[in-house]
Amino acid sequence: MSWITESNRMKHFGYAIPCALVFTILFVAGLAAGMEFKDRAHGGAWDWLDLLATLLGGLVGQIIQAFILFLIWKGGAV
């Protein structure tokens, strides 16, 4: 999995986690597509691995969100 340490993919991964934690993975998917569109519009290339890193971060954030909501629902949080 050395592809995730290339370029700025760890930033894509890291910044997607709080976005999915507050919103949803669907929001993160829109962010990922928007970032890649911006890169392409400014002369760069569409990078599917950047998009994948963002979605993986969104998945982690969504799992954390679901766990927090489960704890609240069960009455075990704070």
Side-chain angles (χ1 to χ4, degrees):
M1 286 203 25
S2 63
W3 64 270
I4 200 158
T5 58
E6 297 171 358
S7 185
N8 63 344
R9 293 188 182 120
M10 286 305 291
K11 286 185 180 180
H12 282 261
F13 181 83
Y15 287 123
I17 293 172
C19 292
L21 184 63
V22 174
F23 300 107
T24 65
I25 195 165
L26 294 174
F27 179 79
V28 171
L31 287 177
M35 286 188 287
E36 292 310 309
F37 179 79
K38 183 260 317 166
D39 288 347
R40 186 158 181 204
H42 290 280
W46 185 280
D47 190 350
W48 288 104
L49 293 177
D50 280 356
L51 191 126
L52 179 61
T54 307
L55 290 176
L56 288 174
L59 181 63
V60 170
Q62 189 75 69
I63 290 170
I64 294 169
Q65 180 195 62
F67 182 69
I68 291 169
L69 291 174
F70 176 75
L71 289 177
I72 292 170
W73 181 66
K74 290 301 263 185
V78 187

